[in-house]
Amino acid sequence: MDALFLPLADAVGASVDQIKLISCLLIAYPLGSLFVRIPATKPALRHLYSISVALLFFFPVLKLYSAFFQLLASILATYYIAKFDKSAKMPWVVFVIVMGHLTVNHVIRAIYGFSYETMEVTGPQMVLTMKLTTFAWNVYDGRRKEEDLDKWQLSKRITKYPSLLEFLGYSFYFPGILVGPYLDYPEYMELINETMFQHAHVKATLKAGRRLPPGRKRAAYSKMFMGLVYLGAFVVFGGKYNYAVSLKDDFVKMSLLKRIAIFQLSGPIERAKYYAIWTLTEATLVHANLMPSFFQGASILTGLGFTDLGPHGTPHWNGAANVKVWTIEFPPNFKVLLDSWNMKTNVWLRECVYKRVTPKGKKPGNMSSMITFFTSAFWHGIASGYYLTFLMGGFITAAARQARANFRPLLVPPIADPHAPVPPPTLAKRVYDLLGIILSAMILNYAASPFILLSATDSMLTWQRLGWYGHIIVLGGLVFFYAGGTRFFRGLQKKRGVLPPPRGAKPAGAANGNGTASVMSSGYGTPVSEKNFVLPPSVDKIIPPR
């Protein structure tokens, strides 16, 4: 079958594996449309259909024979361990087995030097690891008392153990099996049974003879179009604008400013391949009623991604999104940027690691954050470049938070009356926002390069040829704040009456009967639901500036 893909691979300068992967994502669109035509009253047929499509991807198209059986082994191990082990250790047993298996394959990938152009087991296995470990915790929560669970755990708990067919259908759900994003078992069964469309207010929007709300195909094919645009940008410009250009001799002959400018163009093109894959996946999920960008569109076609009706009765199909492209490329600050990338992974780290390693009755601390970070790191792989990016990210987060805490209160004073209209931003605030966008994008392109280059040696050479500008901005900023900048700006805030309350203290106006809070109370404490768990604890959390 490779002969079918070779001409196109040669024409666009891509590997055959890349062309086959994109082909699977595109094939998932019409297959997603067929999925929703299987009646919800025949769930077994839907499970079998999803498994059959996954087999089509793995065997005749991708020829990942060993990968399929490795995934099947992890699936069966999880299914029977979670079924028969009723102890509190069960989720951790599943976690160790599944993560250990993934880490072994990461090591094998590193030994053989597989590039991202090679399709092998670790990509699907990373997605499956999130699904299987989440399933184990959902089953465990289903065996606990309801009063011991939080809101997310209550909504996702599994009280009726699935049949093997149901679990295989969930594990091999075809729109997300290759590149994600992942979904949990309750979401999958809602999709199979179409229970999310059974609410009276949703049924009222359905046309005669229709089972699904309108807008699904429009949302899916819009995602497909954007996924193809991202893919086209990567194919056309990727050869000229990529992080590896920094390793060429011609790059060092340019002036430093030109090198930095070219790198800013390379960043979005490097990320375009991720945007393409996730967007196309999301579309398939919605077509099938579920969810990522290439696969995000495919997910929408299956029915995944339906979140509810908007205030004007318009169906929303954005629940499958794994990335917010505009927010990443034009981020108001670095935290918002991180929160918009690989969002499903952040949910998994929060719910299956961060909360779970925290002793009952205690608040999560730096130890919980460090365990979660190392889980994220090993989940991504063992390449040294990953760890350079993650560790750099911890310092970036600290510098960004200090800048926000010291500068923003002076530009956005608190509003005494929360019901009063928000005044228009001042010129200083507009300049602050613009600088935040520019600096966040520049630092992202700098810090993310090791994630693509993989090698620590190549990454350090790249940073050197960029004049270490990211380190100068980030570490220079931290030195400024620790050397007295924080004390100076806090004094200035106190003098102007805009000093935020200490961490943990309840500011005036934060709790006013109707649940609203003043501007003063927003943006200084981060709820667990909004934390990012990919990066290590930032230095200012461990040693705060005085």
Side-chain angles (χ1 to χ4, degrees):
M1 185 173 281
D2 284 6
L4 296 175
F5 303 102
L6 273 171
L8 182 57
D10 292 339
V12 299
S15 70
V16 174
D17 279 359
Q18 287 177 311
I19 298 300
K20 289 195 292 187
L21 174 60
I22 297 300
S23 298
C24 288
L25 303 186
L26 291 174
I27 292 169
Y29 279 79
L31 294 178
S33 290
L34 291 176
F35 179 91
V36 297
R37 283 167 171 73
I38 301 173
T41 54
K42 297 182 179 179
L45 197 55
R46 286 190 160 196
H47 299 311
L48 288 170
Y49 180 86
S50 193
I51 296 169
S52 299
V53 174
L55 288 170
L56 171 68
F57 289 163
F58 277 95
F59 285 88
V61 180
L62 297 173
K63 296 183 178 180
L64 295 176
Y65 310 116
S66 171
F68 176 82
F69 288 109
Q70 287 192 62
L71 298 182
L72 182 61
S74 288
I75 291 167
L76 294 177
T78 300
Y79 181 79
Y80 287 109
I81 291 171
K83 184 175 184 178
F84 294 112
D85 186 351
K86 304 295 175 61
S87 71
K89 295 181 180 178
M90 179 274 291
W92 292 116
V93 173
V94 170
F95 191 90
V96 169
I97 291 174
V98 175
M99 273 293 293
H101 186 192
L102 173 62
T103 302
V104 168
N105 281 325
H106 277 317
V107 172
I108 293 172
R109 180 186 178 100
I111 290 173
Y112 284 94
F114 293 136
S115 72
Y116 70 86
E117 296 180 349
T118 303
M119 187 69 190
E120 40 80 60
V121 66
T122 56
Q125 193 175 20
M126 290 170 71
V127 179
L128 188 65
T129 295
M130 292 190 287
K131 294 173 75 171
L132 297 182
T133 52
T134 302
F135 174 81
W137 281 113
N138 293 158
V139 170
Y140 172 67
D141 290 337
R143 296 167 181 167
R144 297 167 66 195
K145 296 179 181 179
E146 291 190 10
E147 54 266 28
D148 293 337
L149 306 178
D150 63 25
K151 185 178 179 181
W152 187 91
Q153 293 163 353
L154 272 172
S155 66
K156 302 297 183 180
R157 68 199 299 256
I158 297 172
T159 54
K160 179 184 176 184
Y161 205 79
S163 68
L164 183 57
L165 177 61
E166 290 172 331
F167 190 65
L168 289 172
Y170 161 66
S171 300
F172 287 115
Y173 176 64
F174 73 93
I177 185 62
L178 297 179
V179 295
Y182 92 106
L183 70 158
D184 53 58
Y185 181 76
E187 281 180 308
Y188 174 73
M189 291 308 295
E190 281 191 347
L191 167 70
I192 293 296
N193 299 317
E194 297 185 352
T195 52
M196 74 276 275
F197 307 125
Q198 302 306 312
H199 303 291
H201 71 289
V202 176
K203 280 187 171 182
T205 67
L206 303 183
K207 297 180 181 179
R210 299 281 184 177
R211 305 193 324 269
L212 307 180
R216 175 178 58 91
K217 290 184 178 180
R218 186 185 307 112
Y221 286 112
S222 295
K223 293 291 183 182
M224 184 181 75
F225 173 76
M226 289 308 301
L228 291 174
V229 169
Y230 299 138
L231 184 62
F234 177 70
V235 170
V236 174
F237 300 108
K240 183 177 181 181
Y241 298 105
N242 58 77
Y243 287 146
V245 300
S246 62
L247 304 176
K248 297 179 180 179
D249 293 336
D250 290 342
F251 187 75
V252 77
K253 296 176 182 177
M254 303 175 189
S255 67
L256 177 60
L257 288 178
K258 187 174 182 180
R259 277 177 263 160
I260 293 174
I262 288 177
F263 221 67
Q264 308 318 306
L265 297 175
S266 300
I269 300 303
E270 286 280 18
R271 290 186 288 276
K273 58 178 175 282
Y274 296 102
Y275 299 154
I277 294 296
W278 282 333
T279 305
L280 291 171
T281 307
E282 182 187 359
T284 306
L285 290 172
V286 178
H287 217 346
N289 290 338
L290 273 172
M291 306 178 1
S293 218
F294 220 166
F295 254 171
Q296 187 183 0
S299 302
I300 295 171
L301 286 175
T302 64
L304 187 63
F306 176 72
T307 50
D308 207 342
L309 302 178
H312 302 293
T314 304
H316 288 179
W317 293 93
N318 54 6
N322 197 38
V323 64
K324 297 178 180 178
V325 177
W326 182 265
T327 305
I328 291 170
E329 296 304 329
F330 301 96
N333 57 66
F334 203 76
K335 182 194 178 302
V336 172
L337 185 157
L338 288 175
D339 292 343
S340 303
W341 174 266
N342 209 357
M343 297 183 289
K344 297 295 179 181
T345 300
N346 200 48
V347 172
W348 171 65
L349 291 170
R350 180 185 72 219
E351 300 298 339
C352 297
V353 184
Y354 186 73
K355 288 182 179 180
R356 307 295 182 169
V357 299
T358 303
K360 186 177 180 180
K362 294 188 177 181
K363 291 183 178 181
N366 288 328
M367 182 58 69
S368 298
S369 297
M370 284 303 299
I371 293 172
T372 307
F373 159 67
F374 279 111
T375 301
S376 169
F378 279 106
W379 178 80
H380 279 90
I382 63 169
S384 53
Y386 294 151
Y387 297 84
L388 284 177
T389 291
F390 293 147
L391 291 173
M392 181 69 181
F395 289 100
I396 294 171
T397 302
R401 181 164 41 239
Q402 288 304 312
R404 178 181 174 86
N406 284 288
F407 301 147
R408 195 172 187 277
L410 299 171
L411 303 170
V412 185
I415 300 173
D417 182 3
H419 302 289
V422 178
T426 62
L427 177 60
K429 176 62 166 57
R430 293 179 188 274
V431 172
Y432 169 83
D433 290 341
L434 180 61
L435 288 175
I437 292 172
I438 294 172
L439 284 176
S440 296
M442 288 183 65
I443 292 172
L444 168 66
N445 292 327
Y446 180 89
S449 57
F451 199 90
I452 302 297
L453 296 173
L454 300 180
S455 161
T457 302
D458 290 344
S459 302
M460 298 299 281
L461 178 61
T462 294
W463 281 347
Q464 178 190 357
R465 291 182 171 181
L466 292 172
W468 304 97
Y469 79 80
H471 284 81
I472 291 172
I473 294 172
V474 173
L475 299 182
L478 287 174
V479 168
F480 169 75
F481 291 123
Y482 276 85
T486 294
R487 189 184 307 111
F488 170 78
F489 279 102
R490 283 179 182 170
L492 194 58
Q493 292 168 11
K494 186 175 182 179
K495 186 181 297 183
R496 296 188 181 183
V498 295
L499 181 67
R503 288 187 180 276
K506 183 182 290 186
N512 50 27
N514 60 5
T516 59
S518 71
V519 173
M520 182 100 165
S521 68
S522 65
Y524 300 103
T526 305
V528 170
S529 62
E530 296 179 11
K531 288 181 180 290
N532 188 281
F533 301 96
V534 175
L535 302 178
S538 56
V539 64
D540 66 326
K541 285 286 189 179
I542 302 171
I543 308 175
R546 301 296 180 185

